[in-house]
Structures are given as structure tokens and as C-alpha cells.
Amino acid sequence: MPLVKPDLIAFIKSLGEVNTGVQVSFADINEPASVLREVLSTPHGSLQEFQQRCEGAFEDRINMLLDLYRFAKSQNDPAWVADIENRLEKVIAFSKLKKEILDICAR
């Protein structure tokens, strides 16, 4: 997926030499992957239920990031603000793409 590829490449490069016994989760450093992990970690029934859970999870994450953004701005922390902006952009872009994909699947 083009939206995830740059983050995945950067993540793999950041690992360097890794022992085979080490477990690493991409969802720990990528916001959309984290949201999807949350949604997929609980059983779901129909495609419609899955769609609703995905939409709700992405909306919740966007709202949480917006709250964090406001707080980071109030703390005058430019590095934190930039990090949250980056995370928010990725979640919003993935959410839009996900909605398009789910709409096609529902047809």
C-alpha cells in the first residue's frame, strides 16, 4: 500500500541488525496500522459490522489526536505538534482510502 510503504521501509532500516528472537510490531510506530490492529483484535461478524467498527475506530483516533494536538499547542512544544500532525495526516489519509475500499467491497 503506497500510504504505508515509506513508513515500513524507514522502520525496517531503523532496525539494523536484529536478532531473530526479537519481535517487533509495525503497529507500534504506524498510526493506521495501530488502529487496524485494535479493530482486528476483537471478533467481528458481518462485513457491515467490520466497516462500522473501522469507521468508529478511525474517528476515535482522529479525535484523540486532535485533542493531543490542542494540548501540545498549548504547551508550546513544536516537536510534539509536528509529530501529532504527521500521525494525524496518516490516519486521515488512510481513513479516506479505507472508506473507498470498503465502499467498493460493499457493492
Side-chain angles (χ1 to χ4, degrees), residues 9-22:
I9 290 170
F11 179 61
I12 291 170
K13 286 180 180 178
S14 75
L15 295 175
E17 294 288 325
V18 177
N19 294 333
T20 56
V22 175

Side-chain angles (χ1 to χ4, degrees), residues 86-104:
N86 183 36
R87 293 166 59 191
L88 194 52
E89 286 173 10
K90 289 176 184 176
V91 172
I92 289 170
F94 195 88
S95 180
K96 288 178 182 176
L97 177 65
K98 171 204 56 71
K99 182 168 176 22
E100 291 172 17
I101 292 169
L102 290 175
D103 287 346
I104 290 168

